[in-house]
């Protein structure tokens, strides 16, 4: 495949609606959605994607019913129990953005263990955004910059970028959102400044490798000008 986006970010939306369509509880949609994460991570890695950032839980998602939040907090354990082996085989390294501290202790342990076990992998970075909110991220970055006493005249765009949770990770090339919603929902506001965006009506549990690869083709045909003029 030519011109594969280096950093792909996905707002994995529509698990609840998918489950409702099957007459099942919302949590079943999340379970099926976690299988999609596995399939899409492998497909992205096979295609040569270097960074795949998946929005799994936002700072706003805490207001959902308690049972749903608690199911979602237990899902990383299920996911890594089933799929860590495959991630290792594909040399995929797991990372996290978001505030780990507010997650249940057990969830933190599971995540830390996946991060540690895959730390030596040199293939695609699979970055989970968990308890992540972009405004919160930016506020924390500003706070850190102030705490470090960096003088105002020395603050550049790089200063801000390097204090974000995505420090060291390049900007997003392609943003995908499933389920027909056309909004960012507080995801990577800074990092998406020049991303190409593709929205699909497909609900996340129905999203396939074929659709992903079609999007990569679409991406390859987009003209990214970054403010300049076409050559
Ligand atoms: C996305 O699916 C997963 C999370 C936000 C955790 P939703 O749970 O938002 O599904 P819908 O949007 O209600 O269908
Ligand atoms: C965004 O989806 C967050 C995740 C996919 C984790 P939501 O379903 O929470 O977004 P809104 O509420 O429709 O904007
Ligand atoms: Mg949703």
């Amino acid at each position: 495949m030519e011109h594969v986006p280096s950093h792909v970010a996905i707002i994995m939306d529509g698990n609840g609606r998918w489950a409702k369509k099957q007459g099942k509880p919302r949590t079943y949609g999340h379970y099926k959605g976690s299988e999609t994460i596995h399939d899409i991570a492998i497909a992205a890695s096979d295609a040569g994607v270097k960074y795949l950032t998946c929005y799994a839980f936002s700072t706003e998602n805490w207001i959902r019913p308690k049972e749903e939040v608690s199911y979602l907090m237990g899902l990383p354990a299920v996911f890594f129990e089933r799929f860590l082996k495959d991630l290792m085989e594909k040399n995929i390294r797991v990372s996290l953005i978001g505030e780990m501290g507010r997650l249940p202790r057990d969830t933190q342990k599971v995540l830390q263990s996946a991060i540690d076990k895959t730390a030596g992998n040199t293939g695609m970075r699979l970055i989970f955004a968990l308890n992540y909110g972009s405004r919160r991220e930016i506020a924390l970055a500003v706070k850190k910059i102030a705490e470090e006493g960096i003088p105002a005249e020395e603050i550049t765009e790089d200063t801000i970028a390097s204090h974000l949770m995505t420090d060291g990770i390049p900007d997003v090339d392609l943003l995908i959102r499933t389920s027909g919603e056309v909004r960012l929902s507080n995801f990577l506001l800074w990092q998406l400044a020049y991303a190409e965006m593709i929205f699909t009506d497909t609900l996340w549990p129905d999203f396939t490798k074929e659709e992903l690869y079609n999007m990569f083709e679409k991406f390859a045909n987009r003209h990214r000008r970054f403010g300049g003029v076409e050559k």
Side-chain angles (χ1 to χ4, degrees):
M1 228 181 283
E2 263 184 289
H3 305 299
V4 170
S6 169
H7 186 173
V8 178
I10 309 184
I11 303 176
M12 312 179 292
D13 200 9
N15 291 349
R17 276 163 284 170
W18 182 90
K20 200 172 170 202
K21 270 187 16 193
Q22 327 274 314
K24 298 258 173 43
R26 292 177 56 83
T27 48
Y28 183 63
H30 296 313
Y31 177 77
K32 287 300 283 185
S34 76
E35 292 181 343
T36 308
I37 299 178
H38 163 268
D39 298 350
I40 294 305
I42 302 294
S45 157
D46 286 347
V49 169
K50 303 245 177 342
Y51 303 86
L52 177 67
T53 305
C54 295
Y55 205 4
F57 194 88
S58 75
T59 48
E60 287 72 36
N61 287 146
W62 294 106
I63 59 173
R64 293 188 176 202
K66 231 177 43 211
E67 306 72 48
E68 182 174 347
V69 169
S70 127
Y71 184 83
L72 286 167
M73 291 301 142
L75 208 43
V78 178
F79 177 84
F80 289 115
E81 172 69 31
R82 293 178 76 193
F83 300 132
L84 187 69
K85 198 173 111 283
D86 295 348
L87 301 182
M88 290 302 292
E89 233 161 67
K90 293 285 179 181
N91 196 21
I92 293 172
R93 176 176 160 202
V94 175
S95 317
L96 202 78
I97 55 172
E99 287 171 282
M100 278 257 256
R102 206 186 148 185
L103 305 177
R105 195 64 53 82
D106 287 348
T107 310
Q108 292 187 37
K109 271 195 209 145
V110 163
L111 291 166
Q112 195 55 54
S113 151
I115 290 168
D116 293 344
K117 283 180 183 146
T118 61
N121 291 351
T122 53
M124 188 183 80
R125 291 266 298 270
L126 173 59
I127 304 151
F128 286 100
L130 255 170
N131 189 25
Y132 173 86
S134 190
R135 287 186 165 183
R136 173 98 183 121
E137 175 189 37
I138 292 169
L140 286 173
V142 171
K143 190 163 171 264
K144 263 191 276 171
I145 291 168
E147 280 166 359
E148 288 169 19
I150 302 176
E153 63 275 13
E154 282 176 24
I155 295 174
T156 63
E157 291 183 12
D158 286 341
T159 317
I160 295 170
S162 66
H163 286 78
L164 295 173
M165 293 161 178
T166 49
D167 179 28
I169 297 167
D171 280 350
V172 175
D173 297 297
L174 173 63
L175 172 82
I176 296 166
R177 183 169 188 151
T178 58
S179 90
E181 309 300 347
V182 183
R183 55 174 171 262
L184 296 178
S185 302
N186 203 10
F187 190 44
L188 300 175
L189 302 179
W190 175 279
Q191 299 87 343
L192 289 171
Y194 263 107
E196 295 298 321
M197 300 187 185
I198 300 182
F199 298 89
T200 172
D201 287 339
T202 306
L203 302 173
W204 177 248
D206 287 332
F207 192 70
T208 60
K209 168 179 166 172
E210 287 69 34
E211 189 168 4
L212 179 75
Y213 288 177
N214 280 336
M215 288 177 174
F216 288 178
E217 245 167 68
K218 233 182 183 178
F219 170 84
N221 289 315
R222 295 257 179 110
H223 300 274
R224 302 183 82 189
R225 285 183 287 274
F226 298 100
V229 288
E230 207 88 43
K231 271 186 225 112

